[in-house]
Amino acid sequence: SQTIHQWPATLVQPVGSPLSLECTVEGTSNPNLYWYRQAAGRGLQLLFYSVGIGQISSEVPQNLSASRPQDRQFILSSKKLLLSDSGFYLCAWSVPGYSTDTQYFGPGTRLTVL
Amino acid sequence: QKEVEQDPGPLSVPEGAIVSLNCTYSNSAFQYFMWYRQYSRKGPELLMYTYSSGNKEDGRFTAQVDKSSKYISLFIRDSQPSDSATYLCAMSRGSNYKLTFGKGTLLTVNP
């Protein structure tokens, strides 16, 4: 069976500090991978998605970036955090080529920028 | 007009009640429809998905799709306190990698 991991679970960072969130998926090959941010009252916002190693599509221009150094690893980064980067960050995966695009989510990372 | 509209609630019901959660959408290209359940401070988990108009049952849950009206519903029978969560609808056009989500409905089932 497939499992998705995210870490850290919670993070408190000062404004201007760097960020690195990691997501790994087990039990599947070449998954589509996604980063979302969920802010209170604003629903799920798709930030990045990737259909393969080194292939990243950005949905929202901002000070965040994503990388996929390995098939089942997806990293979300920032060089300098803003207060507005606070939120609940979710990684998700889907089966490539599966028409429904059903996505499966990880446990999330709660980021607070002070 | 937003692509997906979902009443945010909150919705509060007594234990044992039948719950109806709904979403409307404007894009007729949506072909696949999903419901996710999200407990507080957790990631969303997939409850059900369907692609055709009509009903699909899974235990106490029934997903209903009416493509002609662009309307989907999730019914929960014999609701339990453990059903207390935020329910998100999601839909896709199929094979374009992306889901479009509603903002979620917060449900509380009172014992």
Side-chain angles (χ1 to χ4, degrees):
Chain A
S1 64
Q2 298 82 16
T3 310
I4 180 169
H5 303 278
Q6 285 186 248
W7 63 91
T10 59
L11 192 59
V12 180
Q13 293 284 91
V15 169
S17 63
L19 173 73
S20 181
L21 303 181
E22 190 165 342
C23 170
T24 58
V25 180
E26 296 177 354
T28 186
S29 296
N30 195 32
N32 298 325
L33 295 171
Y34 308 82
W35 278 113
Y36 288 87
R37 177 168 58 204
Q38 189 175 37
R42 297 188 63 185
L44 282 165
Q45 180 185 31
L46 178 63
L47 302 175
F48 301 94
Y49 70 93
S50 170
V51 299
I53 295 174
Q55 300 179 62
I56 310 293
S57 295
S58 174
E59 290 293 302
V60 183
Q62 55 201 336
N63 69 321
L64 298 172
S65 62
S67 62
R68 184 170 177 173
Q70 300 181 44
D71 181 42
R72 291 170 289 175
Q73 184 185 29
F74 206 21
I75 296 172
L76 183 69
S77 303
S78 174
K79 292 182 179 178
K80 288 187 177 182
L81 284 168
L82 306 173
L83 285 174
S84 57
D85 291 324
S86 293
F88 192 44
Y89 287 82
L90 290 157
C91 181
W93 70 275
S94 68
V95 177
Y98 192 41
S99 59
T100 68
D101 298 317
T102 304
Q103 294 177 18
Y104 303 90
F105 286 84
T109 295
R110 188 160 301 279
L111 172 67
T112 303
V113 183
L114 301 174
Chain B
Q1 183 183 9
K2 292 182 180 178
E3 279 195 297
V4 179
E5 300 273 6
Q6 183 175 10
D7 187 338
L11 183 61
S12 182
V13 301
E15 184 175 353
I18 297 174
V19 177
S20 173
L21 304 165
N22 311 296
C23 288
T24 59
Y25 62 96
S26 58
N27 189 343
S28 59
F30 288 135
Q31 297 295 321
Y32 301 95
F33 306 90
M34 284 142 262
W35 286 96
Y36 288 84
R37 177 176 63 196
Q38 185 175 22
Y39 291 115
S40 179
R41 308 180 78 84
K42 303 291 186 183
E45 61 177 306
L46 180 67
L47 271 181
M48 299 183 71
Y49 77 89
T50 185
Y51 71 94
S52 58
S53 285
N55 294 351
K56 180 178 180 181
E57 275 193 37
D58 185 1
R60 296 185 295 111
F61 298 90
T62 299
Q64 187 176 80
V65 174
D66 183 347
K67 288 186 178 180
S68 62
S69 300
K70 297 189 181 66
Y71 189 89
I72 68 170
S73 299
L74 178 70
F75 297 97
I76 306 174
R77 291 185 300 279
D78 187 26
S79 56
Q80 303 295 309
S82 58
D83 296 327
S84 298
T86 296
Y87 289 80
L88 299 156
C89 65
M91 44 200 80
S92 79
R93 290 180 286 161
S95 300
N96 77 329
Y97 315 120
K98 300 179 189 179
L99 294 179
T100 301
F101 287 87
K103 289 194 173 181
T105 299
L106 177 61
L107 170 68
T108 301
V109 181
N110 301 298

